[in-house]
Amino acid sequence: MPRCDTGSAPRDGAWGQAQVSSAAAASGAYPKRVKVVEVGPRDGLQNEKNIVPTAVKVNLINMLSETGLQVIEATSFVSPKWVPQMADHTEVMQGINKLPGISYPVLTPNLKGFQAAVAAGAKEVSIFGAASEQFTMKNINCSIEESLERFEEVMKAAREANIPVRGYVSCVLGCPYEGKISAAKVAEVSKKMYSMGCYEISLGDTIGVGTPGSMREMLAVVMKEVPVGALAVHCHDTYGQALANILVALQMGVSVVDASVAGLGGCPYAKGASGNVATEDLVYMLNGLGIHTGVDLQKLMDTGTFICNALNRKTNSKVSQASCRL
């Protein structure tokens, strides 16, 4: 496969439209700034069939740390039996350069995972549930109610250790096993996780079936139960709807967006789900809207090139594809 050295990123991110669009952001139609949560090292790599060397993971995170991203999800403290790709979680956490001002959260499914994460130096963790009973059973082998009970243990330990916890809710716009998911169920699970003490709830369209219409409908219901300032969106691009769905979320006041460098990812428990929205494409769009992210698009594209070459695959980022010199 040819190596892709990306050309220069467009200077203003949207070929001169930033000035026009910044007026929209100033008027309150969009947030003035967006926090991008980079999930590539965890959500992006967990679905790779071949084990990615620890040194590559460490280098990826270190390169991402130089792009201006504020949050980089580093790894997952799950059982290697369930997700072998994340078996080197301790080595990764202890191998990366943790720069000041950047959070490196890790996924922890239960108290055992939480304790291992803290022992490895984690300063922030994430817990993950779902709005689908069948997906929860396939993913963490228990019911939604049981999963919430498990989280209580983690939340208690996190409070005692003064460690912030982020909550993920999967399958908010559809489930590979149950089909359409009711917005009321998403709101119910989100409210419970927020009430437990999660400072932020990331709403995941795990299989990427959502559209701007279903995103708007779901958010309208969830926002009645959880403040919009505590919500994030996590959109997979399976049906090519991710950026459109994110745009709707921004219009509704959401200002935190998850993304994965080079559009890496999928889900081991959601067959056919493609990667998360590419961080490069998200930043390009936000630049074009005049929304501040603090992220250097060129450095981000170079990082995407690095990981794609390491994995011997093409990038899923349209921006990088368009800028690619072969």
Side-chain angles (χ1 to χ4, degrees):
M1 181 178 292
R3 295 172 68 84
C4 172
D5 296 312
T6 51
S8 298
R11 196 177 57 148
D12 63 6
W15 301 105
Q17 294 180 13
Q19 286 181 318
V20 177
S21 305
S22 60
S27 72
Y30 296 103
K32 289 183 179 175
R33 61 178 57 231
V34 161
K35 180 176 76 174
V36 178
V37 176
E38 173 58 55
V39 299
R42 195 279 302 174
D43 197 29
L45 295 183
Q46 71 176 3
N47 214 34
E48 288 294 313
K49 289 183 174 62
N50 298 322
I51 298 297
V52 179
T54 302
V56 170
K57 295 175 184 175
V58 168
N59 202 3
L60 170 63
I61 295 168
N62 289 343
M63 289 180 74
L64 288 167
S65 292
E66 299 292 341
T67 64
L69 287 159
Q70 291 177 272
V71 185
I72 303 165
E73 191 177 54
T75 185
S76 177
F77 281 77
V78 296
S79 166
K81 184 176 76 170
W82 295 107
V83 186
Q85 188 65 256
M86 298 286 121
D88 59 354
H89 39 231
T90 297
E91 291 82 356
V92 169
M93 281 304 287
Q94 295 179 345
I96 60 177
N97 299 325
K98 299 185 184 78
L99 300 188
I102 302 178
S103 296
Y104 299 90
V106 299
L107 212 60
T108 55
N110 49 37
L111 186 59
K112 186 179 177 183
F114 174 82
Q115 290 167 339
V118 172
K123 303 294 183 194
E124 180 179 332
V125 301
S126 300
I127 57 176
F128 55 96
S132 156
E133 287 288 358
Q134 288 185 45
F135 185 85
T136 305
M137 189 60 69
K138 294 267 186 184
N139 198 4
I140 49 179
N141 202 30
C142 63
S143 69
I144 292 175
E145 200 54 50
E146 286 168 336
S147 73
L148 295 171
E149 287 168 16
R150 281 187 198 173
F151 299 152
E152 284 285 13
E153 285 187 315
V154 176
M155 297 305 298
K156 182 173 181 290
R159 277 192 296 273
E160 289 169 358
N162 202 26
I163 286 181
V165 181
R166 187 179 202 240
Y168 281 102
V169 182
S170 300
C171 298
V172 299
L173 296 176
C175 169
Y177 311 108
E178 293 183 19
K180 186 169 168 56
I181 299 293
S182 80
K185 190 65 180 177
V186 179
E188 178 192 332
V189 175
S190 301
K191 182 182 181 180
K192 284 180 178 175
M193 292 177 80
Y194 183 68
S195 300
M196 280 180 182
C198 291
Y199 76 91
E200 192 168 273
I201 305 296
S202 177
L203 302 168
D205 183 13
T206 311
I207 55 173
V209 293
T211 64
S214 59
M215 173 65 84
R216 185 180 298 279
E217 178 191 339
M218 182 272 295
L219 281 176
V221 176
V222 174
M223 283 163 54
K224 290 175 183 171
E225 305 294 343
V226 180
V228 69
L231 293 176
V233 289
H234 180 112
C235 299
H236 286 249
D237 203 30
T238 316
Y239 287 80
Q241 302 292 296
L243 285 176
N245 292 342
I246 291 165
L247 194 63
V248 164
L250 296 173
Q251 289 167 345
M252 295 183 75
V254 174
S255 61
V256 183
V257 182
D258 297 359
S260 176
V261 66
L264 296 175
C267 178
Y269 301 98
K271 207 172 182 181
S274 66
N276 214 297
V277 65
T279 316
E280 300 93 321
D281 299 358
L282 172 66
V283 170
Y284 179 85
M285 181 181 80
L286 295 174
N287 285 350
L289 288 166
I291 297 174
H292 179 75
T293 63
V295 179
D296 184 315
L297 181 56
Q298 184 62 56
K299 287 183 178 179
L300 194 59
M301 289 164 62
D302 291 344
T303 305
T305 298
F306 160 76
I307 191 60
C308 286
N309 285 337
L311 299 175
N312 194 31
R313 64 189 296 170
K314 286 188 174 180
T315 180
N316 288 321
S317 161
K318 295 290 189 186
V319 170
S320 290
Q321 287 172 13
S323 307
C324 189
R325 292 196 306 263
L326 294 177

